[in-house]
Amino acid sequence: MGHDAAIGVFDSGVGGLTVAKAIMAALPKERIIYFGDTARVPYGGKSRETVTKYTEQIIRFLLTKEVKALVIACNTMSALALDTVEKNLSIPIIGVVKPGALAASKVTKNKRIGVIATESTISSGLYVHYIGQIDPEIEVLGKACPLFCPLVEEGMLSDPVTTEMAKRYLDGLIHQDIDTLILGCTHYPLLTETIAEVVGKQVTLVNPAYETAKELKELLKSEALLAQQPENASHSFYVSDSVEKFQSFAARILHLDAVSAENIHIEEY
Ligand code: DGL
């Protein structure tokens, strides 16, 4: 695969755009092909088998676009399916959980880290595992926040209902003296303002997207796959549900005048 091929970035919906945005900022010459499985979102309560099957379908689709590398911009797929899918791939693939664990371990001072994520990510125990490998003295406290994803998909980023849910979900973690909180679902960085207000200044929020973009840059460099083309490469967007809602959401998140997306039937892959 040539260095000017695109990078495939995918998520269960719109949340992965937060990772795509970090990649665009860190690697402005790279072309991204984004897929959001908007018809089947949320993945967060689904079984390992289902999430793995969906991940394999998305990868098969992205491989038809001859991508040179893949980024799973979804914690749930990274936690449940990355291990399985990477075995059969001939191009590099990274997820967001390992970079997120690394970023948070660098930030914590009192060695008490909170992780908020989907039910499946929390019960996989993967954040606890990676942070334990980095520093076994760090205590990791997880909390599933299943309603955050639909609130984001509905565009309720700043809303009294979202604030109320954040209070209910985060109250327990705040009282356990965490100084760092991993936004362990790619949808949650879109709720940063609300979450920051609820947890207060003493807690640093960690968005795994930045460390993921950094890891991707290192990976492309080491594989001699960094793009050589001029900046402002044009990106492509694909979704499994209707394009209209996605297009306006994506333009807002990515600060672009307009985004054009195409619908595809992912079950066919
Ligand atoms: N964006 C996904 C994640 O990072 C999950 C949201 C969902 O599909 O439940 O885990």
Side-chain angles (χ1 to χ4, degrees), residues 11-16 40-46 73-78 96 117-119 121 146 149-150 153 183-188:
D11 179 42
S12 56
V14 298
R40 302 189 293 197
V41 69
Y43 281 17
K46 293 187 168 72
C74 171
N75 289 262
T76 306
M77 281 191 262
S78 302
V96 286
T118 64
E119 280 163 335
T121 301
C149 175
E153 293 283 330
L183 305 177
C185 170
T186 49
H187 286 65
Y188 301 175

Side-chain angles (χ1 to χ4, degrees), residues 116 148 170 181 183 188 191-199 205:
I116 50 172
F148 276 170
L170 302 172
L181 180 63
L183 305 177
Y188 301 175
L191 303 176
T192 295
E193 268 177 44
T194 304
I195 294 171
E197 208 178 291
V198 171
V199 296
L205 302 186

